[in-house]
């Protein structure tokens, strides 16, 4: 009986020894990082063409520069189609004839039909560049300029958006919360009124150049920027006006992922 008691006391003493301090703490699982979209890899391309056997300062010429994104064939096709549309029609509508070489050859061929073609100074330029990326939304800036005689050439700028997650083009409705398109255009109209006031433009001007909606926009530093090409809301002499709808007015209208992150 005494022996049994001694054994039990010994076991109790061993059980009471706390050696947890001698063991390292089990490390906590590191916090999972926020998913960051993979970076894009781009490649620049260029094409220059002029009238053969022409060496003067006024030779017809074409200069096209464009960007492609690695492993994004649908994006590249859509981007080039929009640039081609601008170069062919001066519009933002995509064109099926999206080969830069064909575009350049067609322009030079038309110039070649002119008398003293080497004195006409015809010019066609175009470019596409990666402007910005917000999450899976990628924005490109497209520019064009065409001169085929007359008082001046025709410049153009367009902004093209691509949703990487869904592999498709994106527009204003994709940037806004459901049902908020009318509210956005009401704010845009207010920005236009402020622009008119800033430039001291009277009622006659407003009647001749009324406010119009545009799909040509991008996410700027201060807000959503609406870009208007020449002759859209103002005469050629006023260039390409831009209206800004400030972010502070877009709470509850613009999708949260496109609102600027609070600093600090």
């Amino acid at each position: 009986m005494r022996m049994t008691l001694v054994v039990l006391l010994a076991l109790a003493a061993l059980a009471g020894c706390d050696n947890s301090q001698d063991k390292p703490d089990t490390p906590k699982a590191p916090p999972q990082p926020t998913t960051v979209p993979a970076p894009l890899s781009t490649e620049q391309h260029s094409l220059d063409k002029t009238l053969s056997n022409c060496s003067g300062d006024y030779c017809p010429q074409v200069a096209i520069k464009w960007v492609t994104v690695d492993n994004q064939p649908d994006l590249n096709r859509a981007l080039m189609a929009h640039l081609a549309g601008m170069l062919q029609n001066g519009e933002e509508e995509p064109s099926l004839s999206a080969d830069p070489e064909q575009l350049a050859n067609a322009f030079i061929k038309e110039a070649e039909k002119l008398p003293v073609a080497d004195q006409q100074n015809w010019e066609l330029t175009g470019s596409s560049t990666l402007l910005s990326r917000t999450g899976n939304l990628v924005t490109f800036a497209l520019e064009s300029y065409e001169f085929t005689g007359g008082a001046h050439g025709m410049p153009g700028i367009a902004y093209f958006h691509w949703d990487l997650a869904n592999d498709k083009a994106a527009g204003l409705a994709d940037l806004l919360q459901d049902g908020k398109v009318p509210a956005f255009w009401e704010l845009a109209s207010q920005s236009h009124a402020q622009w008119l006031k800033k430039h001291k433009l009277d009622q006659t001007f407003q009647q001749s150049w009324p406010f119009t909606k545009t799909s040509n926009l991008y996410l700027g530093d201060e807000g959503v920027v609406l870009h208007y090409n020449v002759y859209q809301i103002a005469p050629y002499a006023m260039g390409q006006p831009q209206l800004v709808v400030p972010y502070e007015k877009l709470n509850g209208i613009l999708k949260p992922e496109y609102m600027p992150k609070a600093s600090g």
Side-chain angles (χ1 to χ4, degrees), residues 72-94:
Q72 295 288 337
D74 292 340
L75 164 57
N76 294 331
R77 280 192 293 269
L79 186 60
M80 178 51 71
H82 277 73
L83 180 59
M86 294 175 66
L87 293 173
Q88 286 182 302
N89 312 311
E91 301 292 342
E92 300 165 22
E93 293 301 319

Side-chain angles (χ1 to χ4, degrees), residues 147-167:
F147 178 77
T148 54
H152 52 71
M154 284 297 293
I157 295 178
Y159 295 93
F160 177 77
H161 310 280
W162 190 261
D163 182 344
L164 292 171
N166 294 298
D167 199 31

Side-chain angles (χ1 to χ4, degrees), residues 176-177 180 182-195 222-224 244-255 259-260:
L176 303 181
Q177 299 185 34
K180 296 300 183 179
F184 175 85
W185 285 118
E186 176 60 32
L187 292 175
S189 179
Q190 295 173 18
S191 295
H192 178 251
Q194 294 171 358
W195 178 80
E222 304 298 327
V224 176
V244 180
V245 182
Y247 286 121
E248 57 261 30
K249 293 184 178 181
L250 290 171
N251 280 311
I253 296 177
L254 193 64
K255 287 181 178 178
M259 292 291 288

Side-chain angles (χ1 to χ4, degrees), residues 83-244:
L83 180 59
M86 294 175 66
L87 293 173
Q88 286 182 302
N89 312 311
E91 301 292 342
E92 300 165 22
E93 293 301 319
S95 169
L96 296 178
S97 301
D99 181 80
E101 187 78 28
Q102 293 178 354
L103 293 172
N105 289 338
F107 184 82
I108 295 297
K109 185 176 181 180
E110 283 300 309
E112 202 170 14
K113 297 176 182 178
L114 299 172
V116 290
D118 58 350
Q119 298 296 315
Q120 300 299 326
N121 202 28
W122 273 29
E123 180 182 357
L124 181 67
T125 62
S127 67
S128 64
T129 56
L130 177 60
L131 178 67
S132 65
R133 179 177 181 179
T134 304
N136 282 310
L137 181 72
V138 186
T139 299
F140 297 84
L142 288 71
E143 298 188 43
S144 67
Y145 176 81
E146 182 176 7
F147 178 77
T148 54
H152 52 71
M154 284 297 293
I157 295 178
Y159 295 93
F160 177 77
H161 310 280
W162 190 261
D163 182 344
L164 292 171
N166 294 298
D167 199 31
K168 66 174 186 177
L172 176 64
D174 300 298
L175 307 182
L176 303 181
Q177 299 185 34
D178 291 343
K180 296 300 183 179
V181 172
F184 175 85
W185 285 118
E186 176 60 32
L187 292 175
S189 179
Q190 295 173 18
S191 295
H192 178 251
Q194 294 171 358
W195 178 80
L196 292 172
K197 183 177 180 180
K198 176 182 177 181
H199 292 278
K200 299 179 181 180
L201 300 170
D202 59 18
Q203 190 65 32
T204 301
F205 180 96
Q206 297 178 44
Q207 292 174 351
S208 300
W209 301 98
F211 172 71
T212 60
K213 298 176 182 178
T214 178
S215 60
N216 203 15
L217 52 88
Y218 64 93
L219 301 175
D221 293 335
E222 304 298 327
V224 176
V225 180
L226 305 177
H227 184 97
Y228 291 88
N229 284 304
V230 293
Y231 295 128
Q232 290 187 321
I233 62 170
Y236 187 94
M238 293 190 71
Q240 303 179 52
Q242 290 188 332
L243 306 177
V244 180

